[in-house]
Amino acid sequence: MKKFTVDNNDNNTRIDLYISKKDHEISRVTIQRLIKEEKILVNSKKTKPSYKVQENDKITIEKEEPKEISIKAQNIPVEIIYEDPDIIVVNKPKGMVVHPANGNLDGTLVNSLMAICKESLSGIGGEIRPGIVHRLDKDTSGILVVAKNDKSHIKLSEQIKNHEVEKTYIALVKGIVKENEATINMPIGRSPKDRKKMAVVRNGKQAITHIKVIKRYEKYTLLEVKIETGRTHQIRVHLAQIGYPIVGDNTYSNGKNEWGIVGQCLHAKSLKFKHPVTKQEMYLEAEIPKYFKDIIE
């Protein structure tokens, strides 16, 4: 149990901001969730994330115990790009789901990491998503950073939430993109026509994607893509919306798949972030998979 007493200098500060300032090991997202779960109390009473603290308020935070991880470890090869006691960075292959879910209870990246890291994975993500701070679609290959302890998980999650992690992708799209560089700023939410798909919708969440032409071909364009936000299927939806669907993406592309591949030609090439413990600037790259290179060639 953690306890704080508010002094005059913090009068009228939102409680989530106040706690994140006093305790750097807990993110605002976690604070807001704990408030909703009534694990954060003010003067022994439940509160709201928007509550503004007052002098002499007594705030108590019930300590969260990491959940026991019960996923089975599986000896599934995955390329390790970097590893230390706090994080592991991998190159996820196309076709691999990041964590178990309905219909994919094993064979996932998490099952593989359980075998590689043994006991060393953050428990904050819960039983199903130990260590997972961000994801890639099943058929998107590329770089992922995973937390090996709770401190790393909290710090990485904060960087992602604050848009301090730079993610760069490579995408091959249908059509000739005329602009050398462009920014797509369109809100994304569930498709009203198909709940399994995402779409650009008026009441969706803000989504910002930056694209830059690497090379133009006769019928295709190779793009470098950077995202400011991390909405579900964001790059795939945005590129399809402006008329340049990703090659192989049958979900968001009409017409035949000329290359006969399963899954989109989209690869998470690099990550730039601060190490959650040492604060060192990290820049890491994942090699483009062979099938993608072959198509480019």
Side-chain angles (χ1 to χ4, degrees):
M1 181 81 74
K2 291 185 178 179
K3 297 180 181 180
F4 301 100
T5 300
V6 179
D7 63 32
N8 186 49
N9 295 329
D10 293 304
N11 247 349
N12 294 316
T13 303
R14 271 181 62 117
I15 188 168
D16 51 355
L17 284 171
Y18 171 81
I19 294 173
S20 63
K21 187 171 77 171
K22 293 292 182 183
D23 187 346
H24 297 299
E25 292 193 356
I26 184 168
S27 69
R28 282 184 67 189
V29 173
T30 301
I31 293 165
Q32 291 164 0
R33 175 173 59 78
L34 292 176
I35 288 171
K36 289 173 185 174
E37 293 173 358
E38 298 181 19
K39 291 179 179 176
I40 293 179
L41 303 177
V42 178
N43 303 321
S44 301
K45 296 177 182 176
K46 64 182 181 180
T47 186
K48 294 180 179 179
S50 58
Y51 173 73
K52 293 183 177 178
V53 298
Q54 302 300 312
E55 186 178 4
N56 295 323
D57 273 351
K58 290 184 169 40
I59 298 168
T60 57
I61 306 171
E62 185 181 326
K63 187 180 177 185
E64 268 199 310
E65 295 297 332
K67 296 175 184 176
E68 186 178 342
I69 298 165
S70 59
I71 301 169
K72 64 180 178 180
Q74 292 180 300
N75 188 20
I76 305 167
V78 66
E79 180 189 353
I80 299 169
I81 296 169
Y82 174 86
E83 184 177 11
D84 66 25
D86 303 298
I87 61 173
I88 181 168
V89 181
V90 300
N91 184 3
K92 184 191 84 68
K94 186 180 73 151
M96 177 182 270
V97 175
V98 170
H99 61 76
N102 291 336
N104 288 289
L105 297 177
D106 56 18
T108 72
L109 178 63
V110 165
N111 294 107
S112 172
L113 290 172
M114 292 292 292
I116 295 167
C117 300
K118 311 299 183 193
E119 304 294 317
S120 301
L121 278 181
S122 162
I124 288 178
E127 290 184 7
I128 298 175
R129 290 178 288 192
I132 301 301
V133 292
H134 67 123
R135 288 174 284 180
L136 293 173
D137 296 341
K138 176 183 177 182
D139 288 321
T140 298
S141 59
I143 196 163
L144 266 174
V145 58
V146 178
K148 293 175 74 174
N149 54 58
D150 293 348
K151 182 177 181 180
S152 296
H153 196 125
I154 289 164
K155 294 297 183 183
L156 286 170
S157 295
E158 284 178 347
Q159 286 186 57
I160 290 168
K161 181 176 181 292
N162 295 331
H163 310 304
E164 294 166 353
V165 176
E166 186 176 289
K167 305 173 186 177
T168 304
Y169 296 75
I170 300 294
L172 183 67
V173 300
K174 297 179 182 180
I176 310 300
V177 179
K178 295 179 179 63
E179 301 85 355
N180 289 330
E181 296 185 31
T183 294
I184 309 161
N185 187 345
M186 298 177 180
I188 290 176
R190 287 281 165 198
S191 168
K193 297 176 182 177
D194 184 347
R195 301 302 292 173
K196 292 180 180 179
K197 294 170 67 173
M198 307 303 287
V200 170
V201 291
R202 187 176 296 175
N203 61 346
K205 292 182 178 180
Q206 185 183 39
I208 301 172
T209 304
H210 305 284
I211 63 172
K212 182 178 180 180
V213 171
I214 298 173
K215 188 170 183 179
R216 294 180 179 93
Y217 301 93
E218 190 178 339
K219 297 180 181 177
Y220 307 92
T221 308
L222 190 65
L223 298 175
E224 177 187 271
V225 184
K226 293 186 178 181
I227 54 174
E228 284 189 33
T229 50
R231 307 301 173 211
T232 302
H233 299 176
Q234 176 175 323
I235 297 172
R236 298 163 63 191
V237 170
H238 270 172
L239 290 174
Q241 180 71 25
I242 65 169
Y244 304 107
I246 298 174
V247 170
D249 188 354
N250 294 329
T251 302
Y252 296 104
S253 172
N254 296 322
K256 64 177 182 176
N257 181 348
E258 297 95 327
W259 300 94
I261 59 168
V262 176
Q264 57 274 1
C265 283
L266 179 63
H267 176 73
K269 179 193 169 195
S270 67
L271 277 178
K272 188 177 179 183
F273 61 97
K274 271 190 181 175
H275 191 284
V277 176
T278 68
K279 311 298 183 192
Q280 179 185 351
E281 287 283 350
M282 307 286 291
Y283 177 81
L284 298 163
E285 288 193 359
E287 189 174 356
I288 296 172
K290 185 178 183 302
Y291 88 92
F292 199 161
K293 282 183 181 175
D294 289 345
I295 291 174
I296 290 170
E297 287 171 11

